[in-house]
Amino acid sequence: MKITGAQALLKCLEEQKVHTIFGFPGGAVIDLYDEILAAEKLTHVLVRHEQAAVHAADAYARVTGDVGVALVTSGPGATNTVTGIASAYADSIPIVVFTGQVPTGLIGNDAFQEVDIVGITRPCTKHNYLVKDVNDLVPTIREAFHIARTGRPGPVLVDLPKDVMASKILFPEPQQVKMRTYRPTYEPHPGQIEKACRAILKARRPVIYAGGGVILSNAHEELTELARTADIPVTMTLMGLGGFPGTDSLSMGMLGMHGTYYANMAVANCDLLIAVGSRFDDRVTGRVDAFAPHAKIIHIDIDPTSISKNVKVHIPIVADCKHALTAMNTWFARSGEFNGKAEKENHALWLQQIKEWKAAHPLGYVEKTDVIKPQFVVQKLHELTGGNAIITTEVGQNQMWAAQFYHFNHPRAFMTSGGLGVMGYGFPAAIGAQMAAPDRVVIDIAGDGSIQMNIQEMATAMQYKLPVKIAILNNNFLGMVRQWQELFYDKKYSATILDVAPDFVALARAYGAVGLRATKPSEVEPVIKEALATKNLVVMDFVIEREEGVYPMVPAGKATTEMLLV
Amino acid sequence: MKHTISVLLQNKPGVLSRVTGLFSGRGFNIESLSVAPTLEADVSCLTLVTVGDDAIVEQITKQLHKLIDVIKVTDISEFEYVEREMALIRVKAEPSTRAEILRICDIFRGKVVDVSAKSYALEVTGTCDKVQAMIDILRPIGIQEIIRTGTIAMTRASKKY
Ligand SMILES: Cc1ncc(C[n+]2csc(CCOP(=O)(O)OP(=O)(O)O)c2C)c(N)n1
Ligand SMILES: [Mg+2]
């Protein structure tokens, strides 16, 4: 029996085990929405802005480890997704975005609500497609999901002309996707594994530098095993947080621009750097020539372009992190040369040194009794959720305080727009995360500036009864930019003062949500407790120290040892 | 250093713009680029000449390879290879210079492909250097227009029989 393109697309979603999609309708996708109404197994979440649909799909993917899906209309619907797609691309998150398009006959005619979204998103998708013939529809969608979830994951966009959705086809039998040109390398080269293991045996001052790849490949257990067997201290990138238990004694927390003193010192002094699924981003390396200057570098990454892009690597391993770490653990377990005890003695001095750095400059802040410190709020959130919440963040100081003070012990519990740094990511991401994990506590740690970039999603959270918690660290500033102005631009606060702001508590109530405010440190705990006890969307407005800074801080372009401390 | 890179691609709409977008987006430079179908109708070969140090060229080849529609990337400069470029050159031709132009054309094994009262159009093929040499020699006589194809290249067949 022949079915329409729209029906075929829904069948494809079922085939891909997609149960939830995030979207917003319009003329070009009206055929699809007509089918969605009848699709019993599919939950469609109607967002209030297409950017939010993509961020929500992104977080949904991060929580579930599978592909997130967004659906929007042509023209403005499509262009509104670009920021979300670029963010998912920068963070290697597997999503598929379906965009409506004008009928094939009108393409290229500057038709109403026509944009060349395939052209626009070419540089910020892993791959994208315009489906011009309904016979290509199903194979294309299967390929899109395959590309999104395999190799280095990423966003794939499929542009769907309206007439293609209405045309009829026979639904092709399910088939394994086989592509001539795309075959990511999962298995590491055994010779490289041996070289890496021998380098670890020889090292006196090794450091593991773990990135988002550890989370994406579900390699946290293998990483933990390697670190503990050989007693190697671990530092993580913003994207890697949760890849190794943050409260473990081997954890040095985050490195880089707002990394810990001890992580940055350890990297600067190590003789072996084991980079796992990380990409030597400039926010991590600071001045490149001063980054791990004495170290031999091992780099495990599934994307060959990441290797030796910014920093020359000595032992490259192109592979999936999980496969490579498993191979290394196996090598150590099997090889007669491995002597756990000598190994630990080797590293004991080094761990002692790191302990001293930690004692000299622990992560901290100046406590006050009359004003709320943002770090205190994050610490309390950690304490009162037992460290088990899913945390999303906006961008700016709020993001860094969340990264520094909510010590993540589990993977897939921290969602932040790391590579692109999108203000407005956190709240829609929290919605996506809550859809993926209805029973978890989901908290968006927000800034007063960022939250206003997608505040309209309160309606979405209310519509689907999502008990997301928003914790606004309200400094009435675009705080992170203000901090740079304070430090490097003579305190000239150009365009960063947000004195005119909504009453967030009243705004929450206007949407039917719960609004709570804390203005004194003593109110922080009761507010959080009340929020956690409330089965509803809650906005917590924490009025914090206005000019609090994020420290340590490595000024842009400086060596990571040149930190400004608290 | 100059590198000649040969890229086999799936012949699909938008593929060329993925390649050129990669170069502009990442600030790699393209000296010349030429593309046409191969023996297989759905595969095109793109030859591009770029300049960069080893690290940059390594990035370029890796990034090209990462494009989903790219089948194979070869840095031809690493092998023995033949390269050719073709140029069409229109030169001002006056009674006093005609003989000289024809002589130069002959030396470079070129051909006259169009003649008018005031100009000759010459066709020349050869390595990029040879084409450039001919252009340099003709320049003082008065070149009115040049069209070049950009380099195409092919690795030499293995000498082992
Ligand atoms: C969409 C977008 N626009 C601009 C920026 C630049 N930016 C980075 S942090 C920041 C300030 C964020 O302010 P707020 O959300 O209040 O967070 P705070 O730093 O005060 O915690 C700005 C403007 C950005 N990252 N994203
Ligand atoms: Mg702020």
Side-chain angles (χ1 to χ4, degrees):
Chain A
M1 196 189 67
K2 287 201 165 185
I3 57 173
T4 64
Q7 288 164 337
L9 187 145
L10 287 180
K11 269 190 93 143
C12 284
L13 292 183
E14 214 181 304
E15 188 180 290
Q16 299 293 336
K17 303 196 170 52
V18 173
H19 307 299
T20 305
I21 66 173
F22 303 87
F24 199 85
V29 287
I30 207 161
D31 297 83
L32 259 167
Y33 272 90
D34 196 45
E35 294 298 333
I36 283 174
L37 205 57
E40 281 165 9
K41 288 186 209 147
L42 189 72
T43 305
H44 172 270
V45 178
L46 176 68
V47 294
R48 298 303 190 266
H49 186 299
E50 290 88 348
Q51 182 190 353
V54 184
H55 291 326
D58 167 314
Y60 189 90
R62 295 197 204 202
V63 172
T64 60
D66 210 341
V67 181
V69 178
L71 166 64
V72 303
T73 191
S74 68
T79 52
N80 269 349
T81 65
V82 173
T83 303
I85 292 172
S87 179
Y89 186 63
D91 291 343
S92 309
I93 305 303
I95 56 170
V96 172
V97 176
F98 292 104
T99 50
Q101 182 55 281
V102 301
T104 42
L106 287 180
I107 291 178
N109 278 323
D110 303 320
F112 177 63
Q113 296 197 327
E114 178 190 359
V115 294
D116 174 13
I117 195 64
V118 167
I120 289 171
T121 58
R122 211 168 268 141
C124 63
T125 49
K126 184 168 171 187
H127 199 55
N128 58 17
Y129 300 89
L130 166 62
V131 182
K132 279 187 155 171
D133 179 344
V134 71
N135 292 301
D136 295 337
L137 179 69
V138 174
T140 302
I141 294 172
R142 287 174 181 157
E143 214 171 275
F145 276 88
H146 175 69
I147 291 174
R149 65 160 69 94
T150 54
R152 177 177 180 174
V156 179
L157 180 140
V158 184
D159 202 17
L160 304 166
K162 188 173 159 89
D163 54 326
V164 171
M165 288 297 93
S167 317
K168 295 208 157 182
I169 41 158
L170 278 173
F171 190 77
E173 285 298 303
Q175 251 183 3
Q176 186 89 14
V177 176
K178 268 204 208 111
M179 294 176 66
R180 174 177 183 184
T181 59
Y182 171 74
R183 289 195 204 107
T185 309
Y186 278 80
E187 289 309 323
H189 189 285
Q192 294 299 92
I193 291 292
E194 172 158 1
K195 263 196 215 164
C197 291
R198 291 202 185 280
I200 291 176
L201 284 174
K202 267 214 314 234
R204 292 293 156 130
R205 302 185 307 280
V207 166
I208 291 174
Y209 146 48
V214 171
I215 312 245
L216 291 166
S217 70
N218 298 311
H220 52 283
E221 279 169 13
E222 290 76 8
L223 179 76
T224 308
E225 183 183 334
L226 178 69
R228 288 192 183 146
T229 332
D231 255 347
I232 308 174
V234 181
T235 179
M236 286 156 279
T237 67
L238 183 66
M239 294 302 296
L241 291 174
F244 183 79
T247 52
D248 192 287
S249 64
L250 286 171
S251 170
M252 302 186 288
M254 187 168 73
L255 80 166
M257 181 174 274
H258 293 295
T260 63
Y261 173 78
Y262 33 104
N264 285 335
M265 291 304 285
V267 169
N269 289 285
C270 69
D271 66 351
L272 179 70
L273 187 71
I274 307 155
V276 189
S278 46
R279 59 185 176 92
F280 299 81
D281 177 84
D282 57 279
R283 285 293 190 265
V284 160
T285 61
R287 215 181 76 214
V288 172
D289 58 309
F291 182 73
H294 316 295
K296 185 171 231 180
I297 301 178
I298 300 170
H299 189 184
I300 304 171
D301 205 294
I302 198 161
D303 179 2
T305 67
S306 286
I307 291 175
S308 290
K309 182 173 67 179
N310 305 334
V311 172
K312 178 109 187 75
V313 167
H314 307 95
I315 307 178
I317 299 176
V318 176
D320 178 87
C321 293
K322 192 184 181 85
H323 292 224
L325 291 170
T326 304
M328 286 166 80
N329 288 331
T330 311
W331 192 91
F332 279 127
R334 279 208 199 128
S335 130
E337 306 195 33
F338 179 63
N339 176 343
K341 204 155 152 269
E343 198 61 26
K344 290 189 192 230
E345 276 161 21
N346 265 349
H347 299 166
L349 268 177
W350 175 230
L351 293 176
Q352 182 55 34
Q353 167 70 74
I354 290 168
K355 222 183 220 167
E356 280 163 27
W357 281 325
K358 218 177 220 177
H361 298 286
L363 204 52
Y365 57 95
V366 182
E367 290 173 47
K368 279 196 185 165
T369 50
D370 53 336
V371 204
I372 300 176
K373 288 289 186 152
Q375 301 92 335
F376 173 72
V377 175
V378 179
Q379 278 178 332
K380 277 284 165 202
L381 286 170
H382 182 234
E383 189 186 310
L384 297 169
T385 56
N388 287 319
I390 292 176
I391 301 291
T392 70
T393 78
E394 301 296 338
V395 168
Q397 295 182 312
N398 58 86
Q399 179 185 32
M400 292 300 119
W401 288 319
Q404 291 178 331
F405 290 92
Y406 197 99
H407 302 286
F408 297 90
N409 279 329
H410 310 287
R412 303 195 176 280
F414 181 52
M415 271 112 246
T416 193
S417 173
L420 198 66
V422 179
M423 290 173 68
Y425 171 85
F427 182 32
I431 288 175
Q434 191 79 78
M435 283 302 297
D439 300 329
R440 299 277 297 272
V441 175
V442 179
I443 306 174
D444 171 28
I445 297 184
D448 51 303
S450 305
I451 193 62
Q452 295 184 64
M453 286 217 172
N454 272 319
I455 192 113
Q456 77 286 344
E457 296 308 314
M458 290 223 260
T460 310
M462 291 308 293
Q463 180 172 342
Y464 298 90
K465 302 194 166 44
L466 301 175
V468 166
K469 314 291 178 245
I470 302 174
I472 303 176
L473 304 177
N474 192 345
N475 50 16
N476 283 119
F477 271 122
L478 295 171
M480 185 56 94
V481 182
R482 184 209 60 75
Q483 179 172 345
W484 284 50
Q485 290 169 334
E486 173 192 330
L487 295 171
F488 314 117
Y489 293 86
D490 301 328
K491 293 202 173 193
K492 286 185 298 207
Y493 293 163
S494 173
T496 45
I497 303 171
L498 292 186
D499 278 343
V500 176
D503 174 342
F504 289 110
V505 170
L507 190 58
R509 290 181 187 149
Y511 277 94
V514 175
L516 304 169
R517 179 172 291 125
T519 54
K520 294 193 297 252
S522 61
E523 292 165 357
V524 171
E525 186 163 328
V527 161
I528 297 176
K529 278 187 170 159
E530 186 177 343
L532 292 175
T534 306
K535 293 255 169 301
N536 195 345
L537 172 65
V538 182
V539 177
M540 295 172 269
D541 185 17
F542 296 103
V543 180
I544 61 161
E545 175 96 286
R546 283 200 74 192
E547 302 203 19
E548 183 70 15
V550 180
Y551 295 103
M553 177 177 190
V554 179
K558 296 270 184 180
T560 48
T561 45
E562 299 175 76
M563 283 168 272
L564 310 173
L565 298 166
V566 179
Chain B
M1 214 188 84
K2 212 177 225 187
H3 287 256
T4 306
I5 296 173
S6 165
V7 188
L8 288 181
L9 331 139
Q10 300 222 287
N11 197 351
K12 286 188 188 161
V15 176
L16 190 57
S17 95
R18 289 185 202 277
V19 173
T20 53
L22 174 70
F23 275 72
S24 59
R26 293 191 179 265
F28 302 143
N29 82 47
I30 301 182
E31 295 248 304
S32 76
L33 182 153
S34 97
V35 57
T38 61
L39 263 182
E40 284 177 73
D42 57 349
V43 175
S44 291
C45 179
L46 180 152
T47 309
L48 65 85
V49 177
T50 183
V51 177
D53 61 30
D54 288 352
I56 289 179
V57 173
E58 184 185 327
Q59 260 303 304
I60 291 176
T61 51
K62 282 175 171 178
Q63 292 286 357
L64 281 168
H65 201 79
K66 188 171 161 180
L67 294 176
I68 304 282
D69 289 328
V70 166
I71 300 165
K72 192 172 174 208
V73 183
T74 318
D75 183 353
I76 291 222
S77 339
E78 289 179 355
F79 302 90
E80 284 207 41
Y81 69 103
V82 280
E83 63 159 45
R84 288 293 177 271
E85 181 175 12
M86 183 170 100
L88 296 174
I89 308 164
R90 193 187 309 283
V91 227
K92 201 160 84 185
E94 275 160 7
S96 60
T97 56
R98 280 186 189 153
E100 172 72 1
I101 293 168
L102 292 177
R103 198 155 44 237
I104 294 171
C105 184
D106 226 32
I107 293 171
F108 284 92
R109 293 174 212 271
K111 266 193 258 172
V112 179
V113 290
D114 186 34
V115 179
S116 79
K118 289 187 177 154
S119 70
Y120 285 166
L122 312 178
E123 171 200 312
V124 62
T125 61
T127 64
C128 171
D129 289 348
K130 172 181 159 187
V131 170
Q132 190 58 48
M134 174 152 162
I135 289 167
D136 290 343
I137 289 177
L138 288 171
R139 197 178 302 268
I141 301 172
I143 296 180
Q144 293 172 327
E145 195 182 354
I146 301 177
I147 312 281
R148 302 171 70 158
T149 58
T151 300
I152 53 170
M154 189 186 250
T155 52
R156 286 185 188 279
S158 160
K159 293 269 153 56
K160 288 177 229 146
Y161 295 97

